[in-house]
């Protein structure tokens, strides 16, 4: 196995452990098929499988906008994390293939378009939704999770 492939596998494993630890060590609230993982530190909402990671204080005070919650629920319901897991595994196996990295970016961007469209289809006004996304943009790195980030927002606008 090539050293780059080994690094990819280690990165994948570290991210998996990090997300598993967050799920196990924090308070959870189950609603239907979604589980909200309530974190003490400030964090922008993000999704992995059927888990939505949120700041506990903001969630309990209903300070997370409904459209942001819906956006994250769409990621969970449409199982976008499975696509991300698959492409991450493909990057480990096909580390030498340059297009695999482009596929990952395109898949993640497509997921964002799908979630955005679902939010707009639910009746939220596009301009209001865009402002909300800008307020929630971040540069956090949870590579296996779907998170709102500034670079994808620019492309989506």
């Amino acid at each position: 196995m090539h050293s780059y492939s080994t690094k990819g596998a280690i990165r994948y494993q570290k991210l998996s452990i990090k997300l598993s630890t967050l799920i196990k060590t924090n308070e959870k609230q189950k609603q239907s098929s979604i589980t909200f993982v309530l974190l003490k530190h400030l964090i922008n909402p993000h999704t992995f499988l059927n888990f939505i990671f949120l700041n506990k204080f903001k969630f309990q005070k209903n300070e997370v906008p409904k459209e942001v919650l819906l956006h994250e629920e769409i990621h969970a319901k449409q199982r976008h994390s499975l696509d991300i897991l698959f492409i991450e595994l493909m990057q480990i196996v096909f580390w030498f293939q340059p297009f695999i990295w482009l596929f990952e970016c395109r898949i993640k961007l497509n997921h964002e378009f799908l979630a955005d469209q679902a939010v707009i289809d639910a009746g939220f006004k596009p301009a209001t939704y865009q402002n909300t996304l800008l307020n929630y943009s971040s540069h956090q790195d949870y590579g296996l999770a779907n998170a709102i980030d500034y670079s994808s927002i620019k492309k989506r606008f």
Side-chain angles (χ1 to χ4, degrees), residues 12-29:
Y12 178 84
Q13 193 172 27
K14 281 178 155 179
L15 288 171
S16 297
I17 291 168
K18 184 177 184 177
L19 288 170
S20 295
T21 301
L22 285 175
I23 293 167
K24 289 178 186 175
T25 60
N26 287 282
E27 182 181 338
K28 291 169 277 307
Q29 258 188 27

Side-chain angles (χ1 to χ4, degrees), residues 3 19 24-25 27 29 33-35 38 40 48 51 65 72 95 103 113 118 123-124 126 129 139 144-145 157:
S3 68
L19 288 170
K24 289 178 186 175
T25 60
E27 182 181 338
Q29 258 188 27
S33 63
I34 306 292
T35 301
L38 306 177
K40 293 177 183 141
F48 180 69
F51 298 95
E72 296 304 325
W95 57 268
F103 289 148
F113 284 133
F124 291 95
Y129 179 56
H139 298 283
L144 297 178
F157 285 177

Side-chain angles (χ1 to χ4, degrees), residues 1-8:
M1 187 182 283
H2 189 273
S3 68
Y4 196 79
S5 181
T6 304
K7 288 177 188 176

Side-chain angles (χ1 to χ4, degrees), residues 13 20 28 42 53 69 72 76 80 82-83 85 89 93 96 100 109-110 121 126 129 133 150-151 155 157:
Q13 193 172 27
S20 295
K28 291 169 277 307
L42 285 177
F53 300 86
L69 288 175
E72 296 304 325
H80 292 167
L82 296 178
D83 292 341
L85 287 170
L89 288 173
V93 175
F96 54 88
I100 198 80
L109 188 58
N110 190 50
D121 290 347
Y129 179 56
L133 287 180
Y150 184 74
S151 62
K155 292 174 186 166
F157 285 177

Side-chain angles (χ1 to χ4, degrees), residues 11 86-95 100-101 104:
R11 180 182 159 274
F86 177 75
I87 197 70
E88 290 278 336
L89 288 173
M90 292 297 98
Q91 286 175 343
I92 292 168
V93 175
F94 298 108
W95 57 268
I100 198 80
W101 306 101
E104 178 189 24

